[in-house]
Amino acid sequence: MTDVKTGPNPLFLRDEELVQGIELLFYAYRDFTEDPDAVLEEYGFGRAHHRVVHFVARNPGMSVAELLEILRITKQSLSRVLGQLVERGFVVQRKGTRDRRQRLLYLTETGRDLAERLTEPQKRRVARAYRGAGADAVEGYRKVLTGLIDDGRHETASGPVRRR
Amino acid sequence: MTDVKTGPNPLFLRDEELVQGIELLFYAYRDFTEDPDAVLEEYGFGRAHHRVVHFVARNPGMSVAELLEILRITKQSLSRVLGQLVERGFVVQRKGTRDRRQRLLYLTETGRDLAERLTEPQKRRVARAYRGAGADAVEGYRKVLTGLIDDGRHETASGPVRRR
DNA sequence: CAATATATGTCAACGTGACTGACGTAAAGA
DNA sequence: TCTTTACGTCAGTCACGTTGACATATATTG
């Protein structure tokens, strides 16, 4: 399918532009995970641990179900990683008071340190890109990424996970 | 580390904004891979196959080394996936004429069909996001993502892989 | 030409992080 | 009381990455 028959599209909707948009996301994500990977290796952890630590840091007291919903993985898959984080003292689980079936998730002091070590290089990378691109570009970056997400107005576009 | 002591930063460099930038990338990438995954399943392929097919489609005649450089994986890792694609008739390898040690990569007709089926939903998703965000936002999206990549002026920001 | 370097492939072993399916328990809710 | 929900666990499987060692053909260089 070429552009020829697509009629009067704005330039930024040409096929080539779209494929560039796809590849940019691939490259950015590829390089984005580099920095924390080095830190994780020190601990013998992987990216899965990173994700858990990150989202628990952002949403202290979140339930297991909420975490699963964000990560879009199965509980069996989460259990190994979460179990290790608990066992090694990075995460604690406390029974919910409102609903005592829930095991609400919190980082320990150590966990918060790890979270900071993981986030810091990523924040630096984003800050560098933001600075280089300017405020308007940042606004566009956010708009487009938000539009790429399944629910265009995903919670995270405007803050941490919404609680029920 | 709070913002308090960071002095006169533009608003878009506040800690909270940076973390949002990080998470947006996570969510977008997560949802971005959904669409092609369904197609891949029909063929019994995985994301690794997708990546190979995509980049060979974009760069017909690229060398194995070039592909490895883009994917940032080992040749042993590539070999399984590439072998399957060749065996099942999606990719062909031809000896380079300039350097006969090289096995240059091309898609077959079937391979191009698969590539199109995989790319199409992603292009639609990007087009939707672009349309919703507007031309200026697209410009910003590109600027920021390019800045996130290790080499800020990565080849793909302005076209296919550069050949030697 | 001989020696070395490069491009690619292959065998083998291993680790992480996903998956499905089945089953168990405690607590909430109808 | 009965059913549903939140969570955990056991077991098996698969995709896809890794390291390390070695093989082959071709290119390049002294």
Side-chain angles (χ1 to χ4, degrees), chain B residues 21-163:
Chain B
I22 292 171
E23 295 189 352
L24 273 176
L25 201 55
F26 167 79
Y27 287 118
Y29 197 82
R30 180 194 66 180
D31 292 349
F32 199 65
T33 48
E34 268 178 5
D35 314 297
D37 280 355
V39 178
L40 290 163
E41 216 173 333
E42 289 179 37
Y43 294 79
F45 286 151
R47 286 187 196 170
H49 301 85
H50 182 183
R51 289 179 207 126
V52 170
V53 166
H54 175 93
F55 286 107
V56 175
R58 279 280 279 178
N59 307 282
M62 76 191 307
S63 72
V64 171
E66 286 169 338
L67 183 53
L68 289 175
E69 167 55 26
I70 287 181
L71 300 178
R72 299 264 174 89
I73 60 176
T74 60
K75 60 179 176 177
Q76 296 92 325
S77 199
L78 175 61
S79 86
R80 236 176 287 170
V81 168
L82 184 55
Q84 288 166 4
L85 287 170
V86 168
E87 193 189 343
R88 293 179 47 187
F90 293 86
V91 171
V92 288
Q93 295 182 274
R94 286 208 285 268
K95 279 191 180 174
T97 49
R98 205 176 52 247
D99 182 339
R100 290 177 29 210
R101 293 170 302 180
Q102 294 182 324
R103 299 297 129 88
L104 305 183
L105 304 169
Y106 300 88
L107 294 187
T108 62
E109 183 68 29
T110 318
R112 282 189 292 274
D113 289 348
L114 174 55
E116 178 54 29
R117 287 196 64 195
L118 290 169
T119 306
E120 194 269 338
Q122 291 198 315
K123 284 194 294 199
R124 252 192 297 126
R125 185 180 283 261
V126 172
R128 181 164 50 77
Y130 276 12
R131 235 181 280 113
D136 289 350
V138 170
E139 172 68 10
Y141 167 80
R142 281 210 276 238
K143 265 196 201 165
V144 172
L145 280 190
T146 303
L148 286 175
I149 296 169
D150 273 349
D151 177 0
R153 45 178 92 75
H154 193 281
E155 301 94 347
T156 305
S158 52
V161 163
R162 163 194 66 226
R163 273 342 193 308

Side-chain angles (χ1 to χ4, degrees), chain A residues 71-148:
Chain A
L71 299 178
R72 299 265 174 89
I73 60 175
T74 61
K75 59 180 178 176
Q76 296 92 326
S77 202
L78 175 62
S79 85
R80 235 177 287 169
V81 167
L82 184 55
Q84 289 166 4
L85 287 170
V86 168
E87 194 189 343
R88 293 179 48 187
F90 294 85
V91 171
V92 288
Q93 295 181 275
R94 286 208 285 269
K95 279 190 181 177
T97 49
R98 203 175 55 246
D99 183 338
R100 289 175 32 210
R101 292 171 302 180
Q102 294 182 323
R103 298 297 130 87
L104 305 183
L105 304 170
Y106 301 88
L107 294 187
T108 61
E109 183 68 28
T110 318
R112 282 188 293 274
D113 289 348
L114 174 56
E116 178 54 29
R117 288 196 62 194
L118 290 169
T119 306
E120 195 269 338
Q122 291 198 315
K123 284 194 293 198
R124 252 192 297 127
R125 185 180 283 260
V126 172
R128 180 164 51 77
Y130 276 12
R131 236 182 279 113
D136 289 351
V138 169
E139 172 68 11
Y141 166 82
R142 282 208 275 239
K143 265 195 200 164
V144 173
L145 280 189
T146 303
L148 286 175

